[in-house]
């Protein structure tokens, strides 16, 4: 059957090519990777340019199967010229093809050797443009075509690319920071979309002082991050507190007041007790940076700051292990802060 798949992909008519691509998708991993050595990637990419829905779908599924679990095949596929073709498909009018194309872009961007090629092809600009359109108008036609999974994969693709330091300036200068903050603000805080957006924002903010300045200059940006820290998934909360910590560490005098003004303390204190291991450590570090706030605190608020000191002492006393009694005490103090 393998020889027939090869023959039909290279020399078959439309129906035989589609049948061969479908059969390829159903083969085992070892068989698929063996066939990739025969050059079948080239006819599969040609099928993507056919303007035929069935051919494009079958080809995308076959290429995803070839790419999965094989860095060598990911490199082969990109070197065969797929990226411009995928960028065209991302602008088509078919929801299923957009989702498959976005999934292909995501898996290909996970390969270190592909990152610069993908970034230099205009992928970043297109994905940011699409995310902007999706977020700007819920009734926009692209919003109906770009599924939630496609949005998540678009952000995850940018996140993959952001792990290459040479690419972060391109991402940071694309306008993505504003886009991410708007997506976080309008999305369910516990959703995968918010978690991915917050993770990418963290990568960008940690890159340079300019990224921090751009983030903090966007209206309500700190509030949006604080809300995600309070209401997000455990991993989202960790990303959010990491961003706040990085901002505060970059210039404590400049940003400490801005962070405190958004009512960060109750959520931060809660996170220092029951967050993930990383979130707990970062929350405690941020608490220490925020604890001296007498310069801008009014007399009426001083009692709350004193209460915060008591909470800090309770947390410090137990170190890494917080027993039930301490947890109840901290929770009671947090409730008082909310009054």
């Amino acid at each position: 059957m393998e020889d027939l798949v090869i023959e039909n992909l290279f020399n078959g008519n439309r129906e035989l090519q589609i049948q061969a691509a479908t059969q390829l998708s159903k083969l085992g991993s070892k068989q698929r990777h063996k066939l990739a050595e025969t050059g079948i990637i080239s006819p599969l990419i040609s099928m993507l340019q056919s303007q035929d829905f069935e051919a494009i779908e079958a080809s995308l599924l076959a290429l995803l199967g070839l790419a999965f679990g094989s860095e060598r095949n990911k490199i082969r596929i990109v070197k065969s010229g797929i990226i411009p073709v995928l960028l065209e498909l991302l602008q088509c009018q078919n929801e299923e093809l957009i989702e498959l194309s976005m999934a292909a872009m995501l898996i290909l961007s996970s390969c270190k050797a592909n990152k610069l090629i993908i970034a230099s092809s205009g992928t970043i600009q297109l994905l940011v443009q699409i995310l902007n359109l999706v977020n700007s108008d819920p009734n926009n036609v692209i919003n109906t075509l770009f599924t939630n999974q496609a949005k998540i994969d678009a952000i995850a693709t940018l996140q993959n690319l952001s792990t290459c330091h040479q690419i972060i300036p391109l991402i940071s200068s694309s306008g993505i920071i504003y886009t991410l903050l708007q997506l976080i603000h309008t999305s369910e805080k516990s959703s995968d979309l918010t978690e991915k957006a917050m993770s990418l924002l963290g990568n960008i903010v940690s890159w340079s002082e300019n990224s921090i300045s751009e983030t903090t200059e966007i209206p309500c940006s700190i509030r949006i991050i604080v809300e995600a820290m309070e209401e997000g998934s455990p991993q989202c909360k960790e990303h959010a507190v990491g961003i706040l910590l990085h901002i505060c560490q970059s210039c404590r005098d400049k940003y400490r007041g801005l962070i405190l003004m958004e009512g960060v303390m109750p959520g931060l204190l809660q996170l220092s007790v029951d967050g993930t291991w990383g979130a707990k450590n970062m929350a405690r570090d941020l608490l220490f940076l925020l604890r001296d706030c007498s310069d801008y605190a009014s007399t009426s608020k001083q009692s709350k700051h004193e209460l915060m000191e008591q909470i800090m002492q309770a947390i410090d006393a137990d170190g890494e292990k917080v027993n039930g009694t301490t947890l109840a005490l901290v929770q009671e103090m947090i409730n008082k802060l909310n009054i």
Side-chain angles (χ1 to χ4, degrees):
M1 188 176 77
E2 294 175 16
D3 290 340
L4 186 60
V5 167
I6 296 169
E7 173 65 25
N8 287 339
L9 280 175
F10 277 102
N11 302 313
N13 57 27
R14 171 190 176 276
E15 288 76 15
L16 289 175
Q17 280 193 318
I18 294 172
Q19 183 181 25
T22 303
Q23 289 172 337
L24 177 61
S25 301
K26 296 176 180 178
L27 293 176
S29 176
K30 288 184 179 180
Q31 290 173 295
R32 291 198 305 269
H33 295 161
K34 180 182 176 181
L35 285 177
E37 305 281 350
T38 67
I40 59 171
I41 291 171
S42 180
L44 286 172
I45 291 178
S46 295
M47 289 173 67
L48 294 180
Q49 300 168 291
S50 66
Q51 307 299 315
D52 183 317
F53 169 80
E54 287 186 59
I56 294 171
E57 180 185 36
S59 175
L60 282 171
L61 290 170
L63 288 165
L64 282 167
L66 290 172
F68 186 76
S70 173
E71 297 300 290
R72 181 179 297 180
N73 284 348
K74 291 175 189 176
I75 293 170
R76 283 188 178 125
I77 292 168
V78 168
K79 284 186 175 180
S80 296
I82 195 174
I83 301 302
V85 183
L86 290 179
L87 294 179
E88 288 293 324
L89 288 172
L90 287 174
Q91 300 173 76
C92 75
Q93 299 297 304
N94 185 285
E95 177 183 312
E96 188 173 349
L97 294 185
I98 288 174
E99 190 165 302
L100 286 172
S101 299
M102 197 64 256
M105 189 71 80
L106 172 60
I107 194 170
L108 294 173
S109 69
S110 67
C111 176
K112 183 178 179 180
N114 290 340
K115 294 181 191 291
L116 286 173
I117 297 173
I118 294 172
S120 63
S121 66
T123 301
I124 294 169
Q125 294 85 343
L126 179 62
L127 293 184
V128 174
Q129 180 184 353
I130 289 172
L131 290 171
N132 275 329
L133 289 171
V134 165
N135 198 52
S136 62
D137 182 6
N139 298 317
N140 193 306
V141 63
I142 198 167
N143 211 7
T144 62
L145 294 170
F146 226 73
T147 65
N148 192 63
Q149 187 59 53
K151 296 174 197 174
I152 292 171
D153 288 350
I155 295 171
T157 297
L158 292 171
Q159 186 177 5
N160 281 345
L161 297 177
S162 74
T163 61
C164 176
H165 288 173
Q166 295 166 269
I167 298 174
I168 293 184
L170 289 174
I171 297 174
S172 181
S173 63
S174 68
I176 190 64
I177 293 176
Y178 176 82
T179 302
L180 291 174
L181 286 168
Q182 290 303 304
L183 281 169
I184 293 165
H185 178 59
T186 57
S187 301
E188 180 68 35
K189 298 298 180 289
S190 60
S191 67
D192 290 342
L193 180 64
T194 298
E195 185 177 309
K196 289 290 185 185
M198 192 61 70
S199 178
L200 175 57
L201 182 61
N203 286 358
I204 296 169
V205 166
S206 64
W207 174 69
S208 72
E209 295 293 328
N210 287 339
S211 298
I212 292 173
S213 297
E214 183 180 346
T215 300
T216 56
E217 287 169 5
I218 294 172
C220 301
S221 59
I222 300 295
R223 183 181 305 169
I224 291 169
I225 298 169
V226 170
E227 288 174 353
M229 186 195 73
E230 293 173 338
E231 304 170 22
S233 67
Q235 201 61 46
C236 178
K237 290 178 179 180
E238 182 175 327
H239 294 317
V241 72
I243 293 170
L244 293 172
L245 176 60
H246 200 85
I247 289 172
C248 196
Q249 286 174 329
S250 71
C251 187
R252 183 170 178 260
D253 291 339
K254 181 177 180 180
Y255 297 120
R256 187 180 59 184
L258 291 175
I259 294 172
L260 279 166
M261 283 172 60
E262 298 301 339
V264 71
M265 292 307 300
L268 191 58
L269 291 163
Q270 189 74 53
L271 199 59
S272 71
V273 174
D274 62 11
T276 64
W277 183 84
K280 285 180 182 179
N281 289 333
M282 289 187 286
R284 291 169 186 173
D285 289 343
L286 185 53
L287 281 167
F288 279 112
L289 287 175
L290 299 176
R291 69 194 306 176
D292 181 14
C293 44
S294 56
D295 290 344
Y296 49 83
S298 65
T299 304
S300 63
K301 292 181 179 178
Q302 196 61 40
S303 61
K304 289 190 176 183
H305 300 317
E306 292 170 358
L307 187 58
M308 189 268 281
E309 290 290 338
Q310 295 176 38
I311 298 172
M312 288 299 300
Q313 290 170 12
I315 293 171
D316 293 343
D318 247 30
E320 287 298 317
K321 296 181 180 179
V322 181
N323 61 32
T325 303
T326 303
L327 181 58
L329 175 62
V330 171
Q331 184 62 60
E332 180 182 352
M333 292 177 175
I334 291 171
N335 290 339
K336 289 180 181 178
L337 276 173
N338 282 317
I339 295 175

